[in-house]
């Protein structure tokens, strides 16, 4: 059983890190985003969360808080550089800790997106559409249940072509999202998430079977856009399955007739 990481609970210092009148400051933006995600059913029952990186500082939603009621004072802050120097990945010393709640077990998974993809934002949802997609894939049996693939759908354009690549996917492109197995403790998912990121270097998301999805982007706008686009595609895929429609189709590009 994974223990809780060590935490610097000295909240008398560094409270300034989560105090700002700027609505786009990470400490204000994370509660705002999570409240919106709650209305979508993505972060019910304290599950799910979000993290934003600004240069070396990482701002993280806590564990055990009702996401629609979160306040800036509830946010954890840590240093990416300091964490990189730690010999124990589970031993995280936070620059700023709230007086209550616990650090999110999503923290090392968020850090994987920031370190391996230089992401600026990572979102974790418990969307029931994401869970249903993993269950549909599960019915295909071992070896055929490790990828969600869909093509020839307009919303695919909401995704970038891959890490350090220019432009977005096109309508005819195939979007592929890897699936990893769930674990009893969320923090134990980290190595499997990192393996999936290595195997699928162009992906911006990883599904966790019977659990949810992690989505990241180079900034908040792109992470949010891709998370919304992906949830749309998951819902569409579930409905397509119900109608016995394939997720992968062979459609020839339509070329406009040019007037002479």
């Amino acid at each position: 059983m994974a223990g809780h990481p060590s935490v610097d609970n000295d909240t008398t210092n560094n409270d300034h890190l989560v105090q700002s009148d700027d609505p786009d400051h990470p400490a204000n933006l994370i509660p705002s985003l999570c409240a919106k995600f709650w209305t979508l059913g993505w972060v019910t029952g304290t599950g799910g969360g979000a993290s934003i990186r600004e240069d070396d500082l990482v701002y993280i939603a806590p564990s055990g808080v009702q996401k629609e009621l979160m306040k800036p004072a509830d946010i954890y802050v840590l240093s990416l550089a300091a964490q990189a120097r730690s010999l124990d990945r589970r031993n995280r010393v936070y620059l700023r800790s709230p007086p209550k709640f616990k650090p999110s077990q999503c923290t090392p998974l968020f850090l994987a997106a920031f370190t391996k993809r230089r992401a600026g934002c990572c979102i974790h949802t418990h969307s029931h559409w994401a869970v249903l997609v993993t269950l549909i894939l599960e019915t295909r049996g071992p070896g055929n249940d490790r990828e969600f693939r869909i093509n020839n759908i307009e919303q695919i354009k909401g995704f970038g072509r891959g890490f350090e690549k220019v432009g977005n996917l096109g309508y005819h492109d195939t979007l592929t999202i890897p699936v990893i197995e769930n674990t009893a403790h969320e923090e134990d998912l980290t190595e499997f998430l990192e393996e999936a990121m290595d195997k699928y270097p162009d992906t911006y998301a990883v599904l966790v079977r019977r659990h949810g999805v992690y989505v990241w982007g180079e900034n908040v706008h792109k992470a949010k856009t891709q998370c919304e686009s992906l949830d749309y595609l998951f819902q569409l895929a579930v409905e397509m399955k119900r109608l016995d429609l394939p997720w992968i189709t062979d459609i020839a590009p339509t070329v406009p007739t040019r007037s002479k």
Side-chain angles (χ1 to χ4, degrees):
M1 177 175 177
H4 291 295
S6 66
V7 179
D8 178 2
N9 287 312
D10 182 5
T11 56
T12 61
N13 295 317
N14 293 332
D15 279 358
H16 68 280
L17 294 173
V18 296
Q19 296 171 346
S20 174
D21 294 330
D22 181 0
D24 291 329
H25 185 280
N28 295 326
L29 198 51
I30 289 175
S32 176
L33 288 172
C34 284
K36 290 180 173 67
F37 298 157
W38 180 81
T39 65
L40 296 171
W42 290 359
V43 293
T44 53
T46 79
S51 181
I52 296 173
R53 177 180 68 87
E54 276 201 346
D55 298 322
D56 180 56
L57 296 182
V58 175
Y59 297 78
I60 310 167
S63 175
V65 62
Q66 297 287 335
K67 296 302 188 294
E68 79 280 15
L69 302 178
M70 192 190 311
K71 302 176 181 64
D74 300 331
I75 301 297
Y76 283 87
V77 185
L78 61 74
S79 161
L80 208 56
Q83 183 60 33
R85 291 192 295 269
S86 174
L87 298 178
D88 183 358
R89 295 178 65 180
R90 293 178 183 269
N91 182 25
R92 288 180 288 278
V93 179
Y94 292 82
L95 299 179
R96 194 270 169 184
S97 302
K100 55 182 179 177
F101 303 123
K102 296 178 180 178
S104 172
Q105 285 212 357
C106 300
T107 298
L109 294 105
F110 292 148
L111 294 179
F114 299 145
T115 57
K116 295 179 75 68
R117 291 293 184 271
R118 295 199 293 274
C121 177
C122 187
I123 298 166
H124 173 45
T125 85
H126 287 189
S127 160
H128 68 283
W129 298 116
V131 174
L132 283 170
V133 161
T134 69
L135 292 174
I136 291 172
L137 289 170
E138 191 175 290
T139 65
R140 297 181 177 181
N144 299 308
D145 60 348
R146 309 297 297 182
E147 295 178 345
F148 168 72
R149 299 173 70 246
I150 193 168
N151 68 354
N152 294 312
I153 300 293
E154 181 71 10
Q155 201 68 27
I156 291 170
K157 293 179 180 180
F159 289 86
R161 289 198 170 275
F163 180 51
E164 297 184 328
K165 293 184 178 179
V166 177
N168 281 23
L169 294 175
Y171 162 66
H172 291 294
D173 287 325
T174 297
L175 176 69
T176 301
I177 306 297
V179 182
I180 62 175
E181 299 302 326
N182 198 26
T183 57
H185 303 285
E186 191 150 13
E187 187 163 341
D188 294 336
L189 286 169
T190 308
E191 66 177 274
F192 303 111
L193 180 94
E194 291 179 336
E195 287 174 1
M197 294 171 78
D198 291 339
K199 186 176 179 180
Y200 297 85
D202 290 335
T203 191
Y204 285 94
V206 172
L207 278 159
V208 183
R209 198 179 316 280
R210 296 173 175 260
H211 181 150
V213 66
Y214 282 84
V215 186
W216 57 87
E218 63 183 79
N219 54 45
V220 174
H221 171 75
K222 290 190 176 181
K224 178 175 177 290
T225 297
Q226 291 180 152
C227 198
E228 292 171 345
S229 296
L230 195 55
D231 204 64
Y232 170 92
L233 289 169
F234 288 156
Q235 180 175 359
L236 189 67
V238 171
E239 297 293 344
M240 290 170 72
K241 175 64 175 178
R242 184 177 292 122
L243 296 170
D244 200 26
L245 298 172
W247 295 345
I248 296 293
T249 52
D250 185 11
I251 298 176
T254 300
V255 179
T257 301
R258 302 186 186 280
S259 59
K260 296 182 180 180

